[in-house]
Amino acid sequence: MKNILVCVKAVPSAAQVQVDGEYRLKRDGVSLQWNIADEAALEAALELKDRDGSVTVLTMGPPKLETPLKELLARGADRAALITDRLLAGADTRATAMALQAAAKKLGAFDLTLCGRRAIDGETGQVPGELAAALELPCVSNVERIEQLDSRLKLYRRLEDGILTLEVTGRAVVSICEYSYTLRLPGILSMRRAKTKQVELYSASDLQLEPGNCGLKGSLTKVTAMESRFPGLRKGPKEEDPKAGAEMLLAMIREVQP
Amino acid sequence: MTQEILVLCPFGLDEGLLSQAVSLSDSDVRVLVPEGQQGRAVRFGPGRIHILHRADIADEADFARWLAKKIRSWGSRIVLAPATIPMRNIMPMLAWALKAGLTADCTALTMSGDDLIQTRPAFGNSLMASIRAMSEIQMATVRPGTFRAEEAAQGTVAIIPERYTPGAQRVKAIDFSEFPQGKPLSQAQIIIAGGMGVGSREGFQKLEKLAARLGAGLGASRTAVDTGFAPYRCQVGMTGVTVCPKLYIAVGISGAVQHLAGMSGSDKVIAINSDPKAPIFGYADYGIVGDWEDIIDTLLNQEEL
């Protein structure tokens, strides 16, 4: 593969999820990390790229993402681009895909576009499909492994009941499962190379995005209410006698069995 | 008369979803099902059943384009599909083509006038968001198993055949290898899940044996998966599968927030742990303090389960 684009998202660090007194999730001031499935997508891209190929990472978010993007350059990406503009705040999956496709076109022609299969904060998994539709490309989701066969790609897609093997000819968008690839650590060479590189910044107008297609305005879904539902305490009785415990367990199993 | 609702089940009928759509729209429902499933669909009271005759769908983008054309000709304004892996790939492509707002993996649906109010969990299960589509066409995928299927009175039903012939062949299916475990975790009625307390791969084999005898699914905590006790597809929690079985048996799981987020929707939770202070007990309907192996062996020794 010559040119590969990897779309990444910064999400609140899962290890830092905390709740307040009313079991509400605290999101302010939590640190961000790259979504784990997106890191897997980057590693897949690094393994697939030719010696003279190039991997570009692309994200959308606040200017402070410039530093974490440099980290991805140190991990082996060749180019990093950040779409950042207050106009883009509050984007739903459609408005996000709209911005990403505009940037993808601006950044060049890519043989393959990879995304994580879903982000751990929103968990919609819709951006890859919407991005593919915007770029008029086929989209294969939930892929665990990619192999290159001459000009085609062999994809192993994890479905609910098994693994489907597919072959793709031509350009495509592929979404990658978390844990299918482990992102490599920064190497000395790539760290040195990363220091000489700049993160490319794009505003909405750089991408010729109309304000009506951006952020909250460009979104076709609207969150009308948000309510915390931290797992409620059940505090059932505790049994210390194994025999009585096993009997109770058996009774509860029988209750739900058809 | 409320809005017509279209339910897309091209890979297999989701009875609960069809049933819910019928109750939301006064039976003004269209459903697309594969050949051979019309008999099942009729029982839940849709007005029109479109029977899909098709070859295998490998290029889902091509199929989404075909669906977009169909939906425009039907004039549907509300489009629902089960949140299975293929439909969660197809619906975004379809939404893009139809310029429709799409909500993923909803766990509740209500109507407010002509608007569909979609409720879905976010960040594990810890937040519930209510979402409206601001577009002419409103779309949502709905978590399988969310709604109970209830048969409805049958009026006149129109049966309409549809034929999809793949156009572009950019994606080709080569092979399919089924998981030995069969049933996906998200659809299991009973889940037996193990954590670090299970201690070894052999321990997990014991849980798997019990799961097989009960027709249950095998789950695991993230640390157990990271350690290699169980494969990733068993992982329950924020970075794994979200499940809502009738019975969740947590074996040797301490109860990290990320794990709780993936299983707190279960009807009943039973925790087995040797540490009486394990947080999981707070989130269980019934706790057993002790050696998990004693309990599981007792069950395995039962002649009938």
Side-chain angles (χ1 to χ4, degrees):
Chain A
M1 288 272 127
K2 273 256 183 297
N3 292 305
I4 307 174
L5 177 67
V6 183
C7 299
V8 294
K9 183 181 187 184
V11 296
S13 172
Q16 292 196 335
V17 172
Q18 285 186 346
V19 289
D20 64 17
E22 288 164 47
Y23 303 118
R24 267 194 292 240
L25 204 67
K26 287 184 188 167
R27 288 190 83 155
D28 291 340
V30 299
S31 67
L32 296 171
Q33 62 174 37
W34 293 116
N35 184 50
I36 191 147
D38 305 355
E39 285 193 352
L42 174 55
E43 180 59 31
L46 294 173
E47 287 179 20
L48 283 168
K49 86 161 182 173
D50 297 339
R51 246 161 216 276
D52 59 344
S54 162
V55 171
T56 304
V57 284
L58 169 65
T59 193
M60 181 165 104
K64 70 171 179 186
L65 291 180
E66 223 176 311
T67 312
L69 273 173
K70 283 202 165 155
E71 163 79 13
L72 295 184
L73 289 171
R75 301 265 194 142
D78 300 282
R79 273 174 93 186
L82 170 62
I83 312 169
T84 186
D85 198 316
R86 299 193 77 148
L87 268 179
L88 297 163
D92 72 350
T93 59
R94 185 186 177 89
T96 302
M98 183 67 86
L100 292 177
Q101 62 94 20
K105 284 176 184 160
K106 181 112 185 164
L107 287 164
F110 293 99
D111 304 313
L112 176 67
T113 299
L114 298 180
C115 304
R117 72 164 175 132
R118 63 169 189 193
I120 59 159
D121 54 353
E123 291 188 305
T124 73
Q126 291 179 174
V127 171
E130 289 180 308
L131 176 62
L135 294 170
E136 295 180 355
L137 295 174
C139 182
V140 181
S141 64
N142 258 51
V143 169
E144 276 188 340
R145 198 149 54 92
I146 307 183
E147 288 164 9
Q148 188 155 6
L149 309 164
D150 52 76
S151 64
R152 291 159 302 153
L153 288 177
K154 193 170 181 186
L155 307 178
Y156 297 84
R157 183 188 195 201
R158 181 155 51 84
L159 296 178
E160 280 92 351
D161 50 356
I163 305 286
L164 178 65
T165 312
L166 298 158
E167 262 179 35
V168 180
T169 315
R171 301 165 61 212
V173 176
V174 175
S175 78
I176 304 290
C177 295
E178 51 272 53
Y179 300 114
S180 53
Y181 289 85
T182 309
L183 181 56
R184 62 193 64 182
L185 293 168
I188 293 178
L189 200 70
S190 50
M191 274 200 280
R192 210 178 287 159
R193 254 186 353 155
K195 279 200 184 126
T196 65
K197 286 178 183 163
Q198 294 292 317
V199 172
E200 299 167 40
L201 301 177
Y202 295 95
S203 67
S205 65
D206 292 337
L207 301 175
Q208 277 101 44
L209 286 166
E210 288 173 27
N213 281 332
C214 291
L216 212 51
K217 267 193 188 163
S219 298
L220 295 181
T221 54
K222 192 177 165 189
V223 177
T224 54
M226 185 79 102
E227 169 187 343
S228 89
R229 199 190 67 173
F230 192 74
L233 285 171
R234 301 185 186 214
K235 287 192 180 162
K238 268 188 255 179
E239 178 59 66
E240 298 198 359
D241 172 34
K243 197 162 166 268
E247 272 169 23
M248 183 66 181
L249 178 54
L250 196 58
M252 290 174 90
I253 289 170
R254 295 231 159 102
E255 221 170 86
V256 298
Q257 271 187 328
Chain B
M1 189 68 101
T2 51
Q3 290 264 31
E4 178 192 276
I5 296 178
L6 168 65
V7 180
L8 294 175
C9 299
F11 301 99
L13 177 65
D14 183 326
E15 296 181 354
L17 178 59
L18 176 58
S19 172
Q20 173 70 9
V22 167
S23 72
L24 280 175
S25 89
D26 299 335
S27 299
D28 203 8
V29 168
R30 261 179 217 271
V31 62
L32 178 72
V33 294
E35 215 173 336
Q37 297 194 359
Q38 57 270 32
R40 262 169 73 208
V42 164
R43 304 209 310 263
F44 302 95
R48 292 186 188 87
I49 302 176
H50 296 258
I51 302 166
L52 181 64
H53 302 268
R54 59 165 171 87
D56 278 348
I57 296 167
D59 190 339
E60 291 173 349
D62 185 69
F63 183 61
R65 262 197 301 275
W66 179 84
L67 279 174
K69 252 185 248 161
K70 283 283 161 195
I71 291 167
R72 281 198 202 98
S73 74
W74 297 336
S76 313
R77 292 277 179 271
I78 296 180
V79 182
L80 306 176
T84 58
I85 291 166
M87 288 315 291
R88 285 189 72 170
N89 192 38
I90 290 167
M91 289 287 271
M93 297 190 269
L94 192 53
W96 187 272
L98 297 171
K99 293 193 173 58
L102 170 65
T103 304
D105 209 18
C106 298
T107 54
L109 296 172
T110 50
M111 292 298 296
S112 160
D114 280 347
D115 290 340
L116 181 71
I117 310 294
Q118 306 141 22
T119 304
R120 71 178 300 263
F123 218 109
N125 265 339
S126 47
L127 289 172
M128 294 298 284
S130 298
I131 296 165
R132 273 176 130 113
M134 311 308 285
S135 47
E136 204 177 320
I137 299 176
Q138 312 173 58
M139 294 177 59
T141 57
V142 180
R143 185 173 295 182
T146 299
F147 300 113
R148 201 180 296 275
E150 281 171 39
E151 299 195 4
Q154 299 160 22
T156 44
V157 185
I159 306 271
I160 305 131
E162 306 287 349
R163 187 168 298 276
Y164 164 67
T165 320
Q169 291 276 7
R170 299 168 296 182
V171 183
K172 271 188 222 152
I174 303 296
D175 180 48
F176 181 71
S177 76
E178 199 169 359
F179 291 139
Q181 240 188 335
K183 205 187 260 180
L185 208 51
S186 57
Q187 284 169 27
Q189 300 284 348
I190 303 177
I191 290 173
I192 302 174
M196 287 309 280
V198 173
S200 65
R201 214 178 270 220
E202 290 69 37
F204 266 85
Q205 278 163 3
K206 204 169 248 189
L207 295 186
E208 194 166 11
K209 201 165 143 197
L210 180 61
R213 282 189 60 189
L214 292 172
L218 179 71
S221 70
R222 177 172 167 180
T223 38
V225 169
D226 284 350
T227 313
F229 292 168
Y232 172 66
R233 67 187 149 85
C234 293
Q235 188 170 314
V236 173
M238 208 170 270
T239 47
V241 196
T242 303
V243 295
C244 34
K246 287 188 177 153
L247 183 62
Y248 190 88
I249 307 169
V251 183
I253 289 178
S254 60
V257 173
Q258 290 85 345
H259 186 78
L260 296 172
M263 47 64 81
S264 60
S266 310
D267 281 355
K268 279 257 170 10
V269 178
I270 300 179
I272 306 173
N273 205 301
S274 56
D275 175 8
K277 292 204 183 93
I280 188 78
F281 286 121
Y283 301 93
D285 299 286
Y286 185 70
I288 305 170
V289 184
D291 182 16
W292 69 269
E293 224 162 346
D294 280 355
I295 313 289
I296 300 301
D297 283 340
T298 309
L299 260 66
L300 281 170
N301 289 333
Q302 296 283 323
E303 279 181 18
E304 272 183 54
L305 273 174

